[in-house]
Amino acid sequence: MHAETFDPVLAKQTIDTIRLLSADAVEKANSGHPGTPMEGAPLAYLIYTRHLRHNPANPDWPGRDRFILSCGHASMLLYSTLHLSGYDISLDDLKNFRQFGSKTPGHPEFGHTPGVETTTGPLGQGIAVGTGMAMGARYLQKNLDKDLFDYTVYAICSDGDVMEGVASEAASLAGHLNLGNLVYLYLDNKITIEGDTSLAFSEEVATRYLSYGWHVERVTGENLAEVDAAIERAKRDPRPSMIITRTNIGQGAPNKQGTAAAHGAPLGTDELALAKQALGFDPEQSFTVPESVYTHMAELKERGQRLEATWNQECQQKCATNTALADWCSDNELSAEQIDALLPAFEAGSSAATRSSSGQVLNALAAGLPMMLGGSADLAPSNNTHLKGEDAFTPEAAGRNIHFGIREHAMGSILNGLCHTRGLLPFGATFMIFSDYMRPPMRMAALMGIAPVYVLTHDSIGVGEDGPTHQPIEQLCGLRSVPNLTVLRPCDANETAQAWKAALINRQGPTALILTRQNLPTLDRNQYASADGVQKGAYVLAVEEGDLQLILMASGSEVQHALAARDTLQQQGVGVRVVSMPSWELFENQDSAYKEEVLPSACRARLAVEAASTFGWERYIGLDGAIVGMTGFGASAPGGQLMDHFGFTTDNVVAKAKELIG
């Protein structure tokens, strides 16, 4: 809506409608946060009506601006605004707030509610994900078309968002990169659940964001003209912008506004009635939307359809001469055949760390996949994730090599933002032990069903001299416990190539590649089964000679010991099968017949070997099996010495196997 059509009376009526729809929904659910939607209503109204380029009839239109409600507890602010703006969210959906199966869950969920760009709730994540979205837009501008992808990422955030460390990490990088397509509005209400923010928060947020290199302004949240002008200035500034809006939590609730009582609980019947009366609504009516408000907001849908039609026409015209853009527009899924054509094959007899093999595979893939980009949390030389011959992502350029800095948490969230940019194939890397720092966004990626690839190297006590602070023990089983996260721990170079293939085929969730620092032998696939078996998660690597008496199961660097132990035991007349198990998740996706083929239930003598916590292996070894694993932390010593000390040797595997079969 343009300035000449701005009607302050209609604006106030619409804003108050957003406030009361939100408060009514929280009241009906008897659960939720009414205060932040009531204070944030003017900001949401201004963004959606006067600044956001969007089409309610097609929430996924690629040329749209993005809006993130970083303070996801204020979800009713978003739902009410989306409803009035013409998105596919009905008044009944608002009435079913926080109810099972509704479009209006307690916190916004990507893929669940039309118009929700990313899942928020854990505070700070929206600020960080928006950084990734802004980087994605810049990358598309450089590689596809400057004008078509000149969109802005807006966000509303709260005190809790700016307190969380992930927001600081991401804001620091956003300022460094001059991401001028970020416009954030901060609800500075000085209230958290426990009370006034002065209980624990006295810093000057404006100064902090200025130090990050952001454009910062202060405005009064209820002054529409002032906020509107600030947003206009922010859009013109080449830096990311933080507009600090002084607001009053629970605005309109006469006895609870400005207090913690308006934060995390319904207003209560009496207070809600008083709020309606104060705002000129019937206190006896709920979920009231004046017809004038619907008429006023209907223009958004009409405008959005015009904007998208113009964008589509321009895009179609440019596709005729822009091959890269035409390929992007086709939006074809990566096929296994395309990936196979890019994958290198590794000759038997060589020896390499799987992190090194991964680097070769990654570069081979990137050469044929121009939308693949990523980097490391300051560990690219160790993670082997540098894309050779490619530029860096800098303030001046949108190259494919991203230097995230020592910011693992923000890296994970930024990867999520990049995944929200259609067509991109982002990856991020660090030492496996530091995956702990980015577990929140890894979980969020799994929840949203988006597909970043995590390259996690230095995967065990084989790290060696750095000691137990850097040696992952419980991280592997922890990652395996996350629903919809696929974990792969390959045993050699060719399994590593197949692990990358599995990661790229998997578009329904994130994938973690668990890679070694130490060298591993490249297996002779003429002697052993093809590494293609990785695609099924587990496969018979070496078959038994004679009757099956024992199954040895292993992943990663311990597969070599299982194979060597098999040779020794076979020479002693024991029929031993070796099963490589790089991915439990992929194996669990197979049918029961295949699982029985690999792990026949008749063979109860099973020994698992893995240099990590033993937790979880019980499902595969059964009541009669055993595990060679870690039950404590590591130590500081050369990696080979540690492997010997903790029993990850052929001799120990043989000894444990003999104990098992008596």
Side-chain angles (χ1 to χ4, degrees), residues 412-621:
S413 302
I414 289 167
L415 291 177
N416 291 348
L418 291 169
C419 281
H420 286 309
T421 307
R422 197 181 90 175
L424 296 189
L425 299 170
F427 63 89
T430 186
F431 290 168
M432 186 180 176
I433 192 70
F434 301 135
S435 66
D436 283 351
Y437 282 149
M438 64 174 183
R439 283 292 293 278
M442 294 175 82
R443 182 181 188 274
M444 295 290 278
L447 179 63
M448 289 189 279
I450 56 178
V453 179
Y454 311 116
V455 180
L456 305 177
T457 70
H458 297 59
D459 71 344
S460 71
I461 56 172
V463 170
E465 291 87 347
D466 279 332
T469 61
H470 282 52
Q471 293 166 4
I473 301 298
E474 75 281 11
Q475 282 68 30
L476 186 55
C477 65
L479 292 172
R480 285 171 173 160
S481 74
V482 180
N484 202 37
L485 170 61
T486 300
V487 181
L488 292 119
R489 187 172 184 247
C491 76
D492 74 345
N494 287 305
E495 275 203 357
T496 302
Q498 289 295 318
W500 266 106
K501 176 182 176 179
L504 291 179
I505 288 174
N506 177 22
R507 298 292 89 198
Q508 286 72 50
T511 302
L513 305 181
I514 313 301
L515 307 171
T516 67
R517 177 195 186 193
Q518 70 274 27
N519 288 347
L520 302 181
T522 302
L523 301 180
D524 183 350
R525 296 295 167 165
N526 292 318
Q527 180 180 356
Y528 301 113
S530 168
D532 293 351
V534 168
Q535 303 307 318
K536 293 188 174 182
Y539 64 105
V540 179
L541 180 60
V543 298
E544 63 278 7
E545 296 175 9
D547 294 336
L548 177 60
Q549 297 171 265
L550 173 70
I551 299 174
L552 295 178
M553 298 173 283
S555 76
S557 54
E558 289 69 69
V559 170
Q560 60 181 318
H561 301 304
L563 288 171
R566 171 189 174 273
D567 291 343
T568 298
L569 291 165
Q570 286 283 175
Q571 290 171 9
Q572 297 174 13
V574 181
V576 181
R577 169 181 297 190
V578 174
V579 174
S580 177
M581 297 193 72
S583 176
W584 293 7
E585 297 78 23
L586 292 179
F587 185 57
E588 288 302 319
N589 287 339
Q590 307 310 310
D591 60 33
S592 56
Y594 179 77
K595 293 179 188 177
E596 176 66 19
E597 180 185 332
V598 174
L599 299 175
S601 53
C603 183
R604 298 170 66 90
R606 302 179 180 189
L607 179 63
V609 188
E610 191 171 67
S613 169
T614 61
F615 187 81
W617 273 107
E618 297 82 2
R619 75 165 73 178
Y620 297 119
I621 64 167

Side-chain angles (χ1 to χ4, degrees), residues 1-7 10-11 14 45 48-57 61 81-87 291-308:
M1 297 180 182
H2 304 292
E4 61 270 17
T5 63
F6 182 68
D7 184 330
L10 268 178
T14 306
Y45 170 79
Y48 272 81
T49 60
R50 295 176 63 79
H51 298 282
L52 196 70
R53 182 173 56 187
H54 63 122
N55 181 9
W61 164 41
T81 304
L82 291 173
H83 167 69
L84 296 180
S85 299
Y87 285 79
E291 195 58 39
S292 56
V293 169
Y294 277 134
T295 303
H296 173 53
M297 297 295 280
E299 184 183 332
L300 297 184
K301 207 164 188 176
E302 298 168 8
R303 183 185 70 184
Q305 289 171 336
R306 291 194 302 270
L307 286 170
E308 182 179 356

Side-chain angles (χ1 to χ4, degrees), residues 8 11-12 26 31 117 155 190 218 258 285 319 329 337 341 390 415 435 448 487 496 542 553 562 599 617 631 638:
K12 182 181 184 307
V26 172
S31 173
E117 298 282 3
K190 304 199 182 304
R218 291 181 181 277
Q285 299 294 318
C319 280
C329 287
E337 292 74 22
E390 297 289 344
L415 291 177
S435 66
M448 289 189 279
V487 181
T496 302
M553 298 173 283
L599 299 175
W617 273 107
T631 57

Side-chain angles (χ1 to χ4, degrees), residues 6-61:
F6 182 68
D7 184 330
V9 175
L10 268 178
K12 182 181 184 307
Q13 189 179 40
T14 306
I15 289 165
D16 290 342
T17 299
I18 293 171
R19 285 174 167 141
L20 294 176
L21 284 175
S22 301
D24 275 335
V26 172
E27 197 71 29
K28 185 173 186 297
N30 194 29
S31 173
H33 302 256
T36 306
M38 295 178 78
E39 70 175 300
L43 309 186
Y45 170 79
L46 283 173
I47 290 170
Y48 272 81
T49 60
R50 295 176 63 79
H51 298 282
L52 196 70
R53 182 173 56 187
H54 63 122
N55 181 9
N58 181 15
D60 298 325
W61 164 41

Side-chain angles (χ1 to χ4, degrees), residues 163 205 286 445 545:
M163 287 188 206
V205 173
S286 298
E545 296 175 9

